[in-house]
């Protein structure tokens, strides 16, 4: 399985401005397809924050998820197999680099 490139700070700076969570989510889903996965959401008090993962190493991600389910722990390979992306209800995007 091929690895995908992480989103760079430069690419993040070139993202369009989104007005709502749905606009940003749709943009990433269209661009990255099944490699862009929803993790969870919760209300921060300033609005709902939606957490996603951009899977950059599918093989390590699948193995790490299986390890997490079987023994409750993950290694660094799993942690490095995806890039966290947070999208706020207002469409603002934060990508962890």
């Amino acid at each position: 399985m091929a690895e995908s490139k992480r989103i760079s700070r430069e690419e993040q700076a070139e993202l369009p401005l989104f007005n709502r969570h749905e606009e940003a989510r749709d943009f990433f889903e269209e661009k990255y397809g099944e490699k862009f996965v929803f993790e969870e959401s919760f209300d921060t008090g300033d609005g709902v924050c939606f957490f996603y993962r951009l899977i950059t190493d599918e093989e390590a991600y699948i193995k790490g998820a299986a390890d997490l389910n079987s023994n409750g722990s993950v290694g660094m390979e799993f942690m490095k197999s995806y890039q966290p992306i947070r999208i706020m209800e207002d469409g603002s995007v934060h990508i962890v680099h």
Side-chain angles (χ1 to χ4, degrees):
M1 291 177 214
E3 287 190 27
S4 299
K5 201 165 77 74
R6 295 172 74 84
I7 298 170
S8 69
R9 293 180 194 283
E10 292 77 18
E11 289 170 305
Q12 181 178 353
E14 295 172 6
L15 288 174
L17 293 176
F18 305 107
N19 295 309
R20 301 182 345 269
H21 158 253
E22 294 82 5
E23 288 178 5
R25 178 202 61 213
D26 292 350
F27 173 86
F28 286 106
E29 282 180 347
E30 186 174 311
K31 184 164 183 157
Y32 297 104
E34 292 181 355
K35 294 195 181 299
F36 182 69
V37 296
F38 176 73
E39 185 178 352
E40 64 181 339
S41 66
F42 65 88
D43 195 329
T44 65
D46 293 326
V48 178
C49 182
F50 298 85
F51 292 85
Y52 292 89
R53 293 175 175 174
L54 175 61
I55 300 170
T56 55
D57 183 341
E58 195 171 348
E59 196 171 307
Y61 185 83
I62 291 168
K63 181 186 179 308
D67 289 347
L68 180 61
N69 288 334
S70 66
N71 63 27
S73 65
V74 294
M76 283 307 294
E77 281 189 13
F78 176 71
M79 299 303 292
K80 293 178 178 182
S81 70
Y82 65 90
Q83 184 172 25
I85 299 174
R86 295 189 301 245
I87 305 173
M88 291 298 293
E89 205 169 19
D90 67 3
S92 57
V93 175
H94 176 72
I95 299 172
V96 178
H97 297 281

